[in-house]
Amino acid sequence: MHRITKRIGKSYSEPKKGSLKEADIKKVLIVRPNHRLGNQLLLTPIVQEVINRFPNCEIDLFVKGGVAHPVFKNYKQINKIIQLPRKPFSNLFKYAKGWISIKSKAYDLVINGDKNSSSGRLLTQISKANFKVFGDVHEEIQLKYKDYKHISKYPIYNLRRYLTKLGVSISEEALPVLDIKLDVNEVSKGKEILNDIVKNDKKTICIYTNATGDKCYSEDWWETFYARLQQEYLEYNIIEMLPIENISKINFKAPNFYSKDIREMGGIINNVAVFIAADNGVMHLASASLTPTVGFFSVTNPDVYEPYGNGSIALNTNTSNIDDWITAINKILN
């Protein structure tokens, strides 16, 4: 499918200067048909960018699975979330209905959120819109921005380039970070839950020891790292957030908590001093909760998925050691 669809969008001519007026962009579709939590969280920066550029627009999201609803709960500009079923062959009618719905509404602007998504390219192609951004990272972007590979950043660079070509004045402001827009009540509730766990006024370090597949570090690895954290940070609480499977790579040695509600999880994370995890969806949730996040990488490319903003950092454990990790954590805490 990737080979078949990789040329889609190539035939579209470069936008003509003066053919777009910012006030005319009122209906926007952003396409990212992936069900994983991390991929929906990584979509939040381009959504913010569109809102910043076109504050009076309404946005439809084309996604897969139901996680986009809690992620974008507090985004008032989201008009509709078109949701494909996670298992299309078990829900063929609903799946087909989702695709057909794209043709039933005209948009002013359509953005494909992932250049490597075959379905994203096809959906962008068949959508009805005057302006379309397919997601290809142009050479001028690659030469200008060192971080162009990041899956949350290049859609923004692409959109800014596209709008500039249309004659829209674009300032080089900082890129939006991942953000689920926790409200005051969610943060306050998170603080109450955290206080009930630690029962003291010390600052807290939170770890998350699970990940999928090869991204998951061994029990020995986490046991060694946890022991070093205990040694280095006597003045801090160290707690563990547990995954849905209710497992712990440190054998439940730390005070822990568990929740199925990602916004409740985010509210708790927002109240900790630093969140530490391997590359996974919960790492991105911590980043989107505006908490300094340390992401450990061993198989995936940090240039593509690293947490950024709020003092966050990615650490390649193949080329660094435990002393380097402690130095990085100290930099955040200090």
Side-chain angles (χ1 to χ4, degrees):
M1 281 299 296
H2 181 67
R3 287 196 299 269
I4 292 170
T5 59
K6 68 179 181 180
R7 300 297 302 175
I8 289 178
K10 303 290 186 181
S11 61
Y12 276 72
S13 59
E14 284 285 285
K16 295 180 180 180
K17 190 172 183 177
S19 58
L20 177 144
K21 295 180 180 178
E22 292 183 68
D24 292 338
I25 302 299
K26 297 177 180 178
K27 296 180 180 179
V28 179
L29 173 67
I30 301 176
V31 180
R32 188 67 170 94
N34 187 294
H35 71 275
R36 292 185 180 276
L37 171 62
N39 286 307
Q40 296 305 315
L41 292 164
L42 288 161
L43 197 63
T44 58
I46 184 62
V47 172
Q48 294 173 73
E49 179 73 10
V50 169
I51 293 169
N52 292 340
R53 297 294 167 195
F54 310 107
N56 296 319
C57 77
E58 62 179 33
I59 301 171
D60 287 357
L61 299 179
F62 193 103
V63 298
K64 183 182 288 186
V67 74
H69 289 278
V71 167
F72 292 98
K73 175 187 174 183
N74 288 343
Y75 279 78
K76 306 306 180 185
Q77 293 85 353
I78 298 296
N79 173 62
K80 183 179 181 182
I81 296 177
I82 304 167
Q83 178 185 329
L84 290 180
R86 286 185 57 178
K87 298 180 178 180
F89 292 105
S90 299
N91 301 273
L92 285 174
F93 177 76
K94 186 176 180 181
Y95 191 81
K97 185 179 178 181
W99 276 73
I100 293 169
S101 68
I102 287 295
K103 298 290 288 183
S104 65
K105 182 175 179 179
Y107 293 95
D108 301 307
L109 174 66
V110 176
I111 300 169
N112 177 27
D114 181 5
K115 61 184 174 61
N116 294 315
S117 170
S118 299
S119 53
R121 283 183 173 273
L122 284 170
L123 286 159
T124 304
Q125 170 88 341
I126 67 173
S127 63
K128 297 165 63 177
N130 297 321
F131 303 99
K132 298 181 180 183
V133 182
F134 282 88
D136 295 301
V137 183
H138 294 266
E139 184 178 1
E140 61 197 81
I141 291 175
Q142 298 179 34
L143 293 173
K144 187 175 182 180
Y145 303 105
K146 292 182 179 180
D147 56 356
Y148 74 89
K149 292 182 180 179
H150 198 283
I151 196 167
S152 281
K153 296 180 179 181
Y154 73 71
I156 298 171
Y157 289 140
N158 285 343
L159 178 61
R160 290 182 179 182
R161 174 192 177 275
Y162 188 81
L163 295 176
T164 299
K165 294 286 184 180
L166 287 165
V168 178
S169 178
I170 301 295
S171 60
E172 288 291 329
E173 57 205 46
L175 300 182
V177 299
L178 278 67
D179 191 357
I180 59 171
K181 294 188 179 297
L182 294 165
D183 61 38
V184 174
N185 291 333
E186 290 169 329
V187 173
S188 178
K189 181 182 177 183
K191 183 174 178 57
E192 289 180 11
I193 295 172
L194 179 62
N195 288 342
D196 191 53
I197 296 168
V198 299
K199 295 179 172 38
N200 61 52
D201 294 329
K202 295 193 296 184
K203 292 182 179 180
T204 299
I205 296 170
C206 184
I207 63 175
Y208 183 82
T209 63
N210 196 43
T212 56
D214 293 340
K215 294 188 291 184
C216 190
Y217 292 90
S218 68
E219 290 186 3
D220 286 343
W221 189 96
W222 275 109
E223 290 270 10
T224 301
F225 181 59
Y226 175 62
R228 182 65 182 272
L229 289 176
Q230 288 182 300
Q231 175 187 330
E232 294 284 343
Y233 302 110
L234 297 174
E235 71 278 21
Y236 285 82
N237 302 303
I238 302 174
I239 67 171
E240 181 181 11
M241 173 179 281
L242 300 177
I244 194 169
E245 297 86 356
N246 196 33
I247 58 176
S248 168
K249 293 292 183 179
I250 59 170
N251 198 28
F252 302 97
K253 291 180 180 178
N256 56 69
F257 68 96
Y258 166 85
S259 176
K260 290 183 178 180
D261 184 335
I262 67 169
R263 300 199 68 85
E264 182 178 74
M265 293 162 65
I268 299 168
I269 295 171
N270 180 268
N271 285 279
V272 306
V274 64
F275 189 90
I276 305 171
D279 175 26
N280 61 67
V282 177
M283 178 197 76
H284 295 304
L285 176 61
S287 184
S289 302
L290 307 184
T291 290
T293 302
V294 176
F296 287 124
F297 289 76
S298 59
V299 293
T300 46
N301 187 351
D303 290 342
V304 179
Y305 296 108
E306 68 178 352
Y308 70 95
N310 308 303
S312 298
I313 189 171
L315 297 171
N316 186 332
T317 55
N318 298 316
T319 57
S320 61
N321 59 44
I322 196 166
D323 291 327
D324 299 323
W325 313 337
I326 296 299
T327 299
I329 295 168
N330 287 339
K331 187 176 180 180
I332 293 174
L333 295 176
N334 292 331

